Amino acid sequence: MILHTIAEVREQIKEWKKQGLSVGLVPTMGALHAGHKSLIDKSVEKCDRTVVSVFVNPIQFGPSEDLDKYPRTLDADAEMCKNAGVDIVFAPSPKEMYGEGHIMSNDFLTYVIPPYFYVDKLCGKSRIGHFDGVCTVVNKLFNIVQPDFAFFGQKDAQQLIIIRKMVNDLNIPVEIISCPIVREESGLALSSRNKYLNPQEKEQALALSKILYNIKVCYDKGVTDTRALFETAYGFLTPAHSLEYLDFRDENDLEEKTVADDNTRVFIAVKIGNVRLIDNILLGEN
Ligand code: AMP
């Protein structure tokens, strides 16, 4: 069932709640792939009912980012959801979510701003205001769907950590379920933005996972000095790669690490051509 309005979703959710059914929410921007599917499968397995939201959220894109060309494939997304056992695909318009002018208009003025300490680093550093947009839309989706569980991928680990913090700080009655990164056999983390890559760039994109895996191998062999671990990346970078960051941070609070341990997550962002790709790995994971 594809629903486009908040009122229709609320009505259905009310019915389910009356019946005592548990509700899972998987927030997405669509162009669904096997990474999204892993979140959807978890929700369908765990919850009586599953809602997948498909919304390319304008307020989390910067002025020079890819809002207009972001892939939109609602028919294919709905088909995948149907086959996966999803009960509702919620695909609102920007107007439905934010009113007529939706940005800088009097229709929509209230934002949820995450703590500065969590956003002044990694993706937040180059994507100013991005996590304000993410927290605001996720909060709205939580209020619309009132899920018991919400599923987020570790692919966007900074986002996951920020959302956990928001849920905790604002006492939002939802349990956040963290789901592992799904990769191609080559190691490349699945992403809707991989569609922008030509074959040569796709090959170059393998550097991200290679750098992370190599760091993990070095860590497993006993190297814990993060500067030494950082330097192992150079062998994988070519002039085609513009490294935005390679950071070693605590898994729970994003504090920078000089000595790596099992709770250290290594975050990387690289631009290849015009495409910005991110990936990460937890050093303690098997
Ligand atoms: P997006 O549509 O890119 O906003 O992603 C929606 C959700 O899917 C987010 O929680 C992402 O972290 C998650 N996701 C995207 N790609 C992957 C992946 N390769 N593996 C696991 N989760 C993913």
Side-chain angles (χ1 to χ4, degrees), residues 37-57:
K37 172 105 177 1
S38 71
L39 275 54
I40 292 170
D41 288 345
K42 263 215 175 119
S43 177
V44 169
E45 191 189 316
K46 192 173 178 68
C47 307
D48 297 320
R49 296 289 181 268
T50 290
V51 178
V52 174
S53 60
V54 173
F55 180 58
V56 183
N57 177 34

Side-chain angles (χ1 to χ4, degrees), residues 23-275:
V23 177
L25 171 67
V26 183
T28 82
M29 296 204 301
L32 301 183
H33 51 62
H36 299 110
K37 172 105 177 1
S38 71
L39 275 54
I40 292 170
D41 288 345
K42 263 215 175 119
S43 177
V44 169
E45 191 189 316
K46 192 173 178 68
C47 307
D48 297 320
R49 296 289 181 268
T50 290
V51 178
V52 174
S53 60
V54 173
F55 180 58
V56 183
N57 177 34
I59 68 166
Q60 72 186 64
F61 286 77
S64 60
E65 293 183 0
D66 56 345
L67 173 62
D68 291 336
K69 72 168 189 170
Y70 196 86
R72 289 160 169 90
T73 59
L74 185 58
D75 290 344
D77 294 347
E79 184 67 20
M80 186 222 259
C81 287
K82 189 173 145 195
N83 295 334
V86 169
D87 300 279
I88 290 179
V89 174
F90 175 43
S93 64
K95 186 175 157 194
E96 177 71 8
M97 290 295 272
Y98 297 116
E100 199 62 61
H102 73 77
I103 303 174
M104 307 288 282
S105 78
N106 285 340
D107 287 346
F108 188 80
L109 289 172
T110 308
Y111 278 73
V112 179
I113 314 287
Y116 187 65
F117 178 76
Y118 287 74
V119 298
D120 67 343
K121 48 184 65 70
L122 305 170
C123 291
K125 201 167 166 184
S126 64
R127 305 190 71 189
I128 304 296
H130 169 68
F131 289 112
D132 302 354
V134 168
C135 285
T136 302
V137 79
V138 169
N139 210 312
K140 281 168 74 75
L141 290 167
F142 285 170
N143 286 329
I144 294 163
V145 177
Q146 297 178 34
D148 301 284
F149 301 93
F151 299 78
F152 290 88
Q154 289 161 17
K155 167 74 173 32
D156 301 279
Q158 186 178 15
Q159 168 176 285
L160 183 48
I161 291 164
I162 288 171
I163 286 169
R164 271 196 198 290
K165 181 75 182 140
M166 174 183 82
V167 162
N168 192 54
D169 283 356
L170 300 182
N171 308 100
I172 303 175
V174 60
E175 188 178 324
I176 303 299
I177 311 287
S178 160
C179 306
I181 300 175
V182 177
R183 299 174 181 282
E184 287 186 359
E185 218 166 296
S186 64
L188 180 66
L190 295 185
S191 162
S192 306
R193 289 190 169 94
N194 291 351
K195 287 194 174 143
Y196 300 150
L197 299 166
N198 66 34
Q200 191 191 5
E201 290 169 335
K202 201 161 176 199
E203 195 64 32
Q204 291 161 345
L206 299 183
L208 282 85
S209 53
K210 282 185 183 159
I211 287 169
L212 295 176
Y213 282 135
N214 189 53
I215 286 173
K216 168 108 171 87
V217 167
C218 294
Y219 171 75
D220 288 343
K221 283 183 184 155
V223 183
T224 56
D225 175 8
T226 56
R227 198 178 303 183
L229 290 169
F230 183 102
E231 283 172 5
T232 65
Y234 290 125
F236 298 92
L237 295 169
T238 71
H241 301 104
S242 166
L243 181 66
E244 184 180 308
Y245 61 73
L246 173 61
D247 267 17
F248 296 76
R249 298 204 170 261
D250 183 89
E251 155 76 346
N252 297 309
D253 63 9
L254 295 179
E255 190 84 60
E256 187 149 25
K257 296 274 199 171
T258 51
V259 179
D261 59 25
D262 281 1
N263 284 325
T264 302
R265 198 175 275 278
V266 189
F267 294 80
I268 189 167
V270 173
K271 228 173 162 184
I272 298 170
N274 286 325
V275 189

